[in-house]
């Protein structure tokens, strides 16, 4: 119908959210059935009166959480909409025009002026999601072939996300990133933001690991602390290895003759020249052999990894 | 020798104190202490059987060998090829010994993020670069992967330190 064509003629208008455009399907339906189609630019705003007010109301609705049920109900009406693909680009145009010209429309509708701050705010919000129209139009075009897109939702629309994502979710391999208000949403910054969030999550993990890092504010200092911790651990290993080398000038690891007898005879402090019983074998299974070579003799020892019970009575080592 | 008995006693008593595995999403579990102990003792025994201790006399030389054996055993104990840093450590050790080490290479998903990361890498050495120098194998990793490896590396290092401390305590004359 010429109404939709007229709206479709306007191009270069920016974004709407999927929510508003989907709601506008209903609005359009009512609009078409009730109002006569007038298509000139001058009376555009007059034509827009009803959708503007309802648009403003709807935009206002999306801010409040109480209206989420309304939104979901409206969104639930998506499927039986009678319009084809043309409506939704025009819906986006419609919305944006409505948002922009709401100031102009104040002279015609008194109570719109009261809503201009919200509309300007909504305009900011609306502009903050540029590529949403594409995803929405493609959704409406073909719900069967679901194009893989990144979903971007606002903070307040958690329930809305369920209805939308139920359409797209089963095939999306992409990361679901949440765009916040006033943040750029092109693909690069989205990926950057996802990456940054990943890094911050890992940093939190590291913070818990390193003692004394949770008090520190700021990533740089935390990183310095982590680096200090790693360096101190490495220095400790070096120190202990030196002590080991110093303590034991004659390391005799002939473990064939070792038996940990009952506890009494163990801690007597004499480390040389005791008599030992013969050991049984450790059960050497369940341990994967190392696949890399070593310069020493390859000890094909298998150790039970998860179930090692080092009971002092039965230490069995064969190396 | 009975010091081994002492040590094994200590390990069995300390076995209950394991490090809690942290995140659910990021898996940084390390095996328990006795796995580290076993590997370290094994490497030490290999060390001593390889070198009869008349020839290498200086403590420093032995200390260095012990340190290398400690790192290698730590890398093995921590799940030899499932972590990047352990693979790098083992590769480095094998190269020093003029051996060629082969690992099963995992498939790596190269994303475009890597290219954008390299673009911004010409900066003054900052914290992440220092971390890369510290953690073995950290030269060519994404930063998030680096963090994960660092966490696992820290856990394994502290475990190794505990094992060695036990050893030294058991071996030092009272």
């Amino acid at each position: 119908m010429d109404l939709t064509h007229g709206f479709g003629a306007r191009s270069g208008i920016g974004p709407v959210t999927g929510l508003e455009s989907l709601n506008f399907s209903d609005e359009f339906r009512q609009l078409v059935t009730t109002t006569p189609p007038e298509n000139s630019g001058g009376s555009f705003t007059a034509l827009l009166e009803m959708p503007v007010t309802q648009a403003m109301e709807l935009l206002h609705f999306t801010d409040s959480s109480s209206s989420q049920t309304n939104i979901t109900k409206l969104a639930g009406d998506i499927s039986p909409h009678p319009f084809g693909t043309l409506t939704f680009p025009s819906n986006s145009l419609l919305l944006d025009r409505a948002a922009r010209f709401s100031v102009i429309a104040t002279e015609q509708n008194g109570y719109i002026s009261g809503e201009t701050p919200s509309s300007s705010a909504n305009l900011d919000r609306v502009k903050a999601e540029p590529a949403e129209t594409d995803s929405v139009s493609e959704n409406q075009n073909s719900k069967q072939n679901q194009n893989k897109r990144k979903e971007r939702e606002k903070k307040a629309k958690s329930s809305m996300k369920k209805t939308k994502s139920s359409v797209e979710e089963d095939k999306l391999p992409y990361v679901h990133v949440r765009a916040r208000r006033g943040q750029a949403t092109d693909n690069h910054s989205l990926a950057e933001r996802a990456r940054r969030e990943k890094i911050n999550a890992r940093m939190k993990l590291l913070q818990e690991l390193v003692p004394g890092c949770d008090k520190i504010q700021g990533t740089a200092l935390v990183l310095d602390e982590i680096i200090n911790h790693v360096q101190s651990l490495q220095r400790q290993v070096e120190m202990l290895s030196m002590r080991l080398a110093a303590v034991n000038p004659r390391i005799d690891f002939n473990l064939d003759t070792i038996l940990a007898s009952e506890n009494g005879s163990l801690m007597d402090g004499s480390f040389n020249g005791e008599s030992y019983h013969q050991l049984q074998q450790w059960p050497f299974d369940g341990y994967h052999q190392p696949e890399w070579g070593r310069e020493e003799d390859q000890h094909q020892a298998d150790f039970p990894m998860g179930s090692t019970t080092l009971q002092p009575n039965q230490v069995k080592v064969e190396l | 020798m009975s010091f081994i008995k002492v040590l094994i006693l200590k390990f069995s008593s300390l076995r209950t104190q394991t490090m809690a595995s942290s995140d659910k999403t990021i898996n940084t579990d390390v095996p328990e202490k006795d796995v580290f102990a076993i590997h370290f003792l094994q490497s030490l025994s290999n060390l001593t059987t390889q070198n009869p201790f008349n020839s290498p006399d200086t403590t420093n030389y032995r200390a260095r060998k012990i340190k290398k054996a400690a790192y290698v055993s730590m890398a093995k104990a921590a799940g030899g090829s499932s972590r990047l840093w352990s693979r790098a450590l083992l590769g480095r050790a094998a190269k020093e010994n003029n051996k060629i080490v082969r690992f099963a290479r995992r498939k790596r998903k190269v994303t475009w993020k890597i290219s954008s990361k390299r673009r911004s890498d010409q900066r003054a050495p900052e914290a992440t670069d220092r971390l890369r120098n510290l953690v073995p194998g950290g030269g060519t990793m994404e930063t998030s992967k680096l963090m994960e490896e660092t966490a696992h590396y820290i856990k394994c290092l502290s475990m190794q330190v505990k094992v060695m401390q036990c050893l030294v305590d058991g071996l030092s004359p009272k």
Side-chain angles (χ1 to χ4, degrees):
Chain A
M1 37 185 105
D2 46 357
L3 179 70
T4 63
H5 287 298
F7 287 142
R10 303 179 200 279
S11 61
I13 306 294
V16 287
T17 66
L19 170 60
E20 280 88 14
S21 58
L22 291 172
N23 293 329
F24 269 114
S25 72
D26 275 316
E27 301 316 304
F28 237 49
R29 221 178 303 162
Q30 300 166 17
L31 184 62
V32 166
T33 52
T34 56
T35 64
E38 293 178 12
N39 228 1
S40 58
S43 60
F44 184 76
T45 55
L47 184 61
L48 277 184
E49 270 186 24
M50 178 148 67
V52 159
T53 64
Q54 300 191 1
M56 288 305 122
E57 277 184 3
L58 278 178
L59 286 178
H60 217 48
F61 273 159
T62 62
D63 276 338
S64 64
S65 57
S66 62
S67 64
Q68 298 224 343
T69 52
N70 299 337
I71 294 171
T72 53
K73 276 189 222 145
L74 284 171
D77 292 336
I78 301 169
S79 35
H81 71 90
F83 296 107
T85 69
L86 277 181
T87 59
F88 291 99
S90 56
N91 271 339
S92 65
L93 306 176
L94 176 65
L95 172 63
D96 206 51
R97 284 280 166 173
R100 281 193 197 150
F101 291 137
S102 61
V103 182
I104 303 176
T106 53
E107 54 213 18
Q108 294 157 0
N109 258 330
Y111 58 93
I112 284 190
S113 64
E115 302 195 354
T116 47
S118 70
S119 71
S120 60
N122 293 332
L123 184 59
D124 292 343
R125 262 197 321 157
V126 158
K127 274 190 176 166
E129 299 192 346
E132 196 68 24
T133 46
D134 299 337
S135 64
V136 166
S137 59
E138 293 226 18
N139 273 338
Q140 303 312 319
N141 278 340
S142 55
K143 293 220 172 110
Q144 284 77 25
N145 48 332
Q146 296 160 358
N147 297 315
K148 305 170 182 177
R149 300 264 175 191
K150 288 183 186 172
E151 275 192 6
R152 280 167 271 118
E153 296 279 348
K154 298 205 182 111
K155 269 193 232 169
K157 289 190 200 167
S158 51
S159 70
M160 190 51 208
K161 181 175 182 178
K162 290 200 187 74
T163 60
K164 254 190 82 172
S165 60
S166 60
V167 176
E168 303 184 20
E169 207 173 82
D170 43 353
K171 275 198 185 172
L172 277 179
Y174 280 49
V175 172
H176 288 228
V177 179
R178 204 163 264 209
R180 275 181 273 242
R181 181 182 175 132
Q183 287 187 348
T185 51
D186 48 328
N187 284 345
H188 285 270
S189 39
L190 268 180
E192 276 293 317
R193 197 178 318 130
R195 174 173 167 264
R196 250 179 287 145
E197 281 175 9
K198 241 168 85 173
I199 290 178
N200 286 337
R202 310 278 161 96
M203 184 83 71
K204 267 225 282 253
L205 175 67
L206 274 175
Q207 252 184 318
E208 298 165 14
L209 210 50
V210 176
C213 251
D214 19 350
K215 310 289 194 301
I216 305 181
Q217 306 297 329
T219 20
L221 298 175
V222 167
L223 267 179
D224 288 343
E225 193 60 41
I226 290 170
I227 288 173
N228 285 340
H229 192 245
V230 169
Q231 276 173 337
S232 83
L233 279 177
Q234 284 178 339
R235 262 180 278 140
Q236 269 182 324
V237 167
E238 189 168 346
M239 206 66 60
L240 283 173
S241 73
M242 270 186 54
R243 281 182 64 187
L244 256 186
V247 147
N248 235 0
R250 196 187 68 84
I251 302 179
D252 185 8
F253 280 86
N254 191 6
L255 296 171
D256 286 341
T257 63
I258 286 180
L259 168 71
S261 58
E262 265 67 23
N263 312 340
S265 65
L266 279 177
M267 308 294 268
D268 53 359
S270 69
F271 288 175
N272 309 317
E274 293 194 1
S275 63
Y276 307 100
H277 313 285
Q278 271 302 324
L279 285 182
Q280 312 167 23
Q281 307 295 319
W282 253 355
F284 288 157
D285 45 351
Y287 175 63
H288 67 281
Q289 299 201 359
E291 63 261 20
W292 45 85
R294 298 183 62 180
E295 79 268 7
E296 305 92 346
D297 311 340
Q298 184 66 255
H299 287 277
Q300 310 284 332
D302 298 336
F303 299 99
M305 285 289 264
S307 59
T308 314
T309 58
L310 289 177
Q311 296 159 12
N313 303 337
Q314 307 164 9
V315 168
K316 301 138 195 177
V317 177
E318 186 187 74
L319 286 178
Chain B
M1 307 297 289
S2 63
F3 60 85
I4 298 297
K5 296 190 294 184
V6 172
L7 296 166
I8 292 171
L9 229 198
K10 284 193 180 177
F11 290 141
S12 58
S13 65
L14 285 168
R15 191 178 183 272
T16 53
Q17 311 165 14
T18 59
M19 295 186 99
S21 72
S22 56
D23 233 8
K24 295 143 204 135
T25 57
I26 310 172
N27 182 27
T28 50
D29 287 339
V30 301
E32 295 184 1
K33 194 163 310 187
D34 38 4
V35 178
F36 282 87
I38 290 165
H39 279 85
F40 189 46
L41 290 177
Q42 190 181 6
S43 75
L44 279 185
S45 74
N46 289 337
L47 202 56
T48 59
T49 57
Q50 178 204 12
N51 289 338
F53 264 167
N54 19 10
S55 42
D57 15 36
T58 62
T59 318
N60 280 338
Y61 173 79
R62 287 208 336 270
R64 266 179 278 132
K65 300 279 273 188
I66 288 177
K67 183 170 84 161
K68 206 169 63 164
Y71 276 119
V72 168
S73 73
M74 175 170 77
K76 278 198 187 179
S81 53
S82 60
R83 283 281 161 180
L84 269 171
W85 65 263
S86 57
R87 267 186 276 184
L89 246 186
L90 290 167
R92 199 193 293 171
K95 219 182 348 172
E96 290 176 9
N97 301 329
N98 297 325
K99 284 270 182 164
I100 299 184
V101 175
R102 292 270 169 263
F103 291 112
R105 188 162 295 207
R106 287 160 129 204
K107 266 196 274 188
R108 297 182 60 188
K109 284 192 275 187
V110 181
T111 64
W112 65 276
K113 289 180 193 171
I114 297 183
S115 57
S116 75
K117 178 180 73 74
R118 293 236 179 89
R119 200 181 354 112
S120 57
D121 255 352
Q122 296 97 17
R123 278 176 292 184
E126 61 164 41
T128 51
D129 296 343
R130 278 188 283 162
L131 200 53
R132 263 175 236 269
N133 290 338
L134 278 184
V135 176
T140 57
M141 267 194 269
E142 287 192 357
T143 310
S144 56
K145 191 76 180 171
L146 181 70
M147 302 286 189
E148 212 176 315
E149 299 285 321
T150 311
H152 195 259
Y153 185 59
I154 287 178
K155 276 191 184 173
C156 288
L157 261 184
S158 37
M159 192 73 86
Q160 184 74 26
V161 161
K162 281 187 206 164
V163 164
M164 289 176 75
Q165 189 73 46
C166 274
L167 251 182
V168 170
D169 289 343
L171 282 181
S172 63
K174 299 214 170 81

